[in-house]
Each structure stands twice: as structure tokens, then as C-alpha cells.
């Protein structure tokens, strides 16, 4: 099923993100995670994609195919472009099509000092422009409620996002954020900019203080004062931080759904306990 069909349904959309294991033997063990995730009846599961080389990317495709064929859930495969040539992207697209993948999340990808960028694609919008006319994928794009860390200004951010949608992105998935007012303002400004596609908020529960500090550096998210107090109070207590982080994420999700969001995309970090706890809390809401 294409993402556009999923978002045209009357119900709120529930989706998860997972990443392929680094080692081949771990791919077999991911079934325990998938069994929990798929039992929660998500509308789709996105699978991350490595930068450079083909080993991780082959695991991505194998995992996406498993999700679709074995569990009956629609996969969305991340496709990065900064470290690939057009010829390499063509090969990936052929392989994805051959494996029954209908939906992709088109991304530039993060800079990796060990994998130098190539010259064919500088932005995700260029990837979308390239593959849209020559494939039948339903293409999603990423968006940053607090602007991409490399963006020159908020005006530039929305110009670039509009370029991505005009190129063919039919759904937008947001990077993580911790202040819902920031997301609501972002959606409002997107509509003013003429961006009318579904914009789904991405939520990542805080389980580890060091991990979240790395993430906010990468994606440009800021921490509200009440969230910083949670980390300050519980950062050295793993169990307490898990409970507090889950409560914060669940309260975010309830507020988002109550205020009109079309669904929620949960960054699970391959932790089925995270997904189950959230879904148990919102099962009568979503």
C-alpha cells in the first residue's frame, strides 16, 4: 500500500522507525522486535539506510522485505544520496522495486568523515527530482520543526522544503522535537508556504541522557526547561529516566493527536518495550 493511501484513511496513522542490525547473525534476532512492533498494528515501519558501501543497505532491503512478506506491514525504506552516484541510486531503485518496495523516504544523509560525499546529489530535493520521473515509488521527505542545523534561515528552510514537495515528496516525516508548540508553529508556517502534504510528527523517547544530547546536536532540536529538569534529576538513574522519558513522550503524543496531528512516527531505537508502552497508553486515542 502506498503512503498516500495510508494517509487518506480516516484513522490516525501509527508508524515506527527501526534500523537494520550491523551483523548478519543479528538480523535473525530482530524477529523478536518485529513480532512486538507488528502486533501493535502499525500502518508502516520505516527502515534506515547506511551511507557508503552496500552491506548495511542490503540488510535494509532484506529487513524491509521481511516486514512486508512475513509480517504483512508496509515498509518504507530510507534512501540517502550524498555518498552515491546516479548510477548507484539507479541500482538501488531497481533492487527496491524487485523486492516489492513501494515507498521510500528520500534523504540527503548525514556527513560521515569516513565516507566522502560525491557530486551527483547535494540535497534530498535533487534525489527526489531525479527518481520521481523514472520510478513508481511513493516518496516521503524529512522535515525539521526547528530548521535543519545547516539552514541559513527559517525563510530558506521553508523554500527548500517547498522545493522538496514540488519535486514530488507526498508525505513529510519530522525530525524529533520536544516542544509541541514548535511543531504546531512549523505546520502552520508550512501551510502558509503552500505545503499541503501530510506532516507527521516524529517522537523519540529519552532513554539515555548522553544519547539524547548527541541526537539534539545532530538534528538541531532544543530542550525545553521542563525537559532539562527531567534529565538533570534522573540522568544518573537509568530506570527513573526511562520512566520519566516515556511519560514525557506519551504526554507529547496525546497532545499532538488531540490537537489535530494526522498520526505519530515513533523512533523506537529497536526497543520493542518503547513501542509497546506507548501503544498501551494511546490505544484508545489513536
Amino acid at each position: 500500500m502506498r503512503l498516500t493511501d495510508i494517509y487518506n484513511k480516516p484513522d490516525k496513522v501509527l508508524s515506527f522507525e527501526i534500523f537494520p542490525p550491523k551483523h548478519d547473525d543479528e538480523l535473525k534476532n530482530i524477529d523478536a522486535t518485529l513480532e512486538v512492533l507488528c502486533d501493535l498494528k502499525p500502518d508502516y515501519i520505516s527502515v534506515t539506510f547506511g551511507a557508503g558501501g552496500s552491506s548495511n543497505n542490503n540488510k535494509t532491503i532484506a529487513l524491509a522485505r521481511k516486514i512486508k512478506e512475513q509480517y504483512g506491514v508496509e515498509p518504507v525504506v530510507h534512501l540517502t544520496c550524498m555518498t552515491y552516484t546516479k548510477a548507484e541510486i539507479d541500482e538501488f531503485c531497481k533492487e527496491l522495486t524487485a523486492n516489492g518496495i513501494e515507498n521510500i523516504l528520500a534523504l540527503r544523509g548525514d556527513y560521515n568523515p569516513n565516507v566522502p560525499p560525491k557530486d551527483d546529489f547535494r540535497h534530498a530535493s535533487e534525489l527526489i527530482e531525479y527518481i520521481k520521473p523514472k520510478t513508481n515509488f511513493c516518496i516521503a521527505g524529512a522535515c525539521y520543526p526547528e530548521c535543519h542545523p545547516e539552514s541559513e534561515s527559517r525563510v530558506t528552510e521553508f523554500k527548500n522544503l517547498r522545493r522538496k514537495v514540488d519535486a514530488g515528496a507526498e508525505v513529510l516525516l519530522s525530525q524529533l522535537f520536544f516542544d509541541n508548540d514548535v511543531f504546531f508553529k512549523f505546520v502552520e508556517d508550512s501551510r502558509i508556504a503552500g505545503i499541503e502534504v501530510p506532516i507527521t510528527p516524529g517522537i523519540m523517547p529519552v532513554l539515555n541522557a548522553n544519547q539524547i544530547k548527541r541526537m539534539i546536536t545532530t538534528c538541531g532540536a532544543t530542550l525545553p526547561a521542563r525537559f532539562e529538569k527531567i534529565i538533570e534529576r534522573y540522568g544518573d538513574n537509568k530506570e527513573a529516566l526511562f520512566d520519566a522519558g516515556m511519560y514525557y513522550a506519551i504526554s507529547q503524543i496525546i497532545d499532538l493527536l488531540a490537537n489535530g496531528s494526522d498520526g505519530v512516527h515513533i523512533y523506537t531505537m529497536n526497543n520493542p518495550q518503547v513501542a509497546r508502552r506507548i501503544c498501551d497508553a494511546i490505544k484508545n486515542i489513536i
Side-chain angles (χ1 to χ4, degrees):
M1 178 180 289
R2 297 172 69 82
L3 281 176
T4 46
D5 295 325
I6 290 172
Y7 279 91
N8 280 330
K9 296 192 302 182
D11 299 330
K12 301 288 188 179
V13 175
L14 172 66
S15 57
F16 302 131
E17 177 185 288
I18 64 174
F19 53 85
K22 293 181 179 179
H23 306 291
D24 289 333
D25 56 346
E26 293 176 352
L27 190 59
K28 300 175 183 177
N29 298 331
I30 203 166
D31 279 303
T33 298
L34 289 177
E35 285 174 4
V36 174
L37 296 184
C38 295
D39 185 56
L40 297 171
K41 302 293 189 290
D43 292 283
Y44 63 90
I45 295 177
S46 72
V47 186
T48 64
F49 188 88
S54 60
S55 176
N56 178 268
N57 305 330
N58 285 337
K59 293 186 182 73
T60 294
I61 295 171
L63 182 53
R65 184 169 180 172
K66 176 189 283 283
I67 291 169
K68 187 179 183 78
E69 296 182 355
Q70 187 172 330
Y71 293 94
V73 174
E74 194 61 42
V76 176
V77 171
H78 294 209
L79 182 62
T80 63
C81 63
M82 183 171 59
T83 58
Y84 297 107
T85 64
K86 290 180 178 179
E88 288 171 318
I89 290 295
D90 287 340
E91 287 303 310
F92 284 131
C93 288
K94 289 178 183 178
E95 190 170 356
L96 289 169
T97 299
N99 281 274
I101 305 303
E102 297 182 70
N103 303 289
I104 66 167
L105 174 59
L107 303 164
R108 184 197 71 176
D110 298 325
Y111 283 105
N112 183 337
N114 299 317
V115 185
K118 295 180 180 176
D119 297 328
D120 288 19
F121 302 100
R122 294 172 300 165
H123 306 287
S125 57
E126 295 175 355
L127 172 64
I128 298 171
E129 288 173 350
Y130 179 71
I131 65 176
K132 183 67 175 180
K134 56 197 305 183
T135 70
N136 194 38
F137 295 127
C138 184
I139 302 174
C143 59
Y144 291 73
E146 297 180 73
C147 292
H148 192 283
E150 299 173 25
S151 185
E152 296 177 2
S153 68
R154 192 167 176 83
V155 171
T156 302
E157 180 77 10
F158 282 100
K159 286 182 179 179
N160 290 336
L161 188 60
R162 177 63 186 267
R163 186 175 297 116
K164 188 180 295 186
V165 172
D166 288 346
E170 299 174 85
V171 174
L172 294 174
L173 301 181
S174 94
Q175 185 54 270
L176 61 88
F177 59 92
F178 300 99
D179 184 341
N180 284 2
D181 287 340
V182 168
F183 179 77
F184 295 138
K185 175 62 174 173
F186 172 78
V187 174
E188 179 183 354
D189 289 346
S190 295
R191 302 312 184 206
I192 292 172
I195 298 167
E196 299 297 336
V197 301
I199 303 174
T200 296
I203 299 296
M204 176 181 283
V206 174
L207 307 179
N208 178 289
N210 291 329
Q211 176 193 46
I212 208 62
K213 289 175 182 177
R214 289 195 301 270
M215 288 300 299
I216 63 175
T217 300
T218 301
C219 69
T222 57
L223 298 179
R226 66 189 184 102
F227 189 86
E228 289 185 330
K229 289 179 180 178
I230 289 175
I231 296 179
E232 181 180 347
R233 178 68 181 273
Y234 304 114
D236 294 328
N237 185 326
K238 183 178 179 180
E239 291 76 16
L241 181 59
F242 182 90
D243 286 342
M246 291 301 299
Y247 176 82
Y248 191 95
I250 290 167
S251 66
Q252 266 194 282
I253 292 169
I254 292 172
D255 181 56
L256 288 163
L257 296 176
N259 283 280
S261 292
D262 52 26
V264 63
H265 187 62
I266 301 170
Y267 297 102
T268 69
M269 296 158 285
N270 284 25
N271 187 330
Q273 186 181 359
V274 167
R276 183 172 291 283
R277 190 157 173 181
I278 288 175
C279 290
D280 284 346
I282 66 171
K283 61 185 178 182
N284 295 320
I285 299 171
I286 198 162

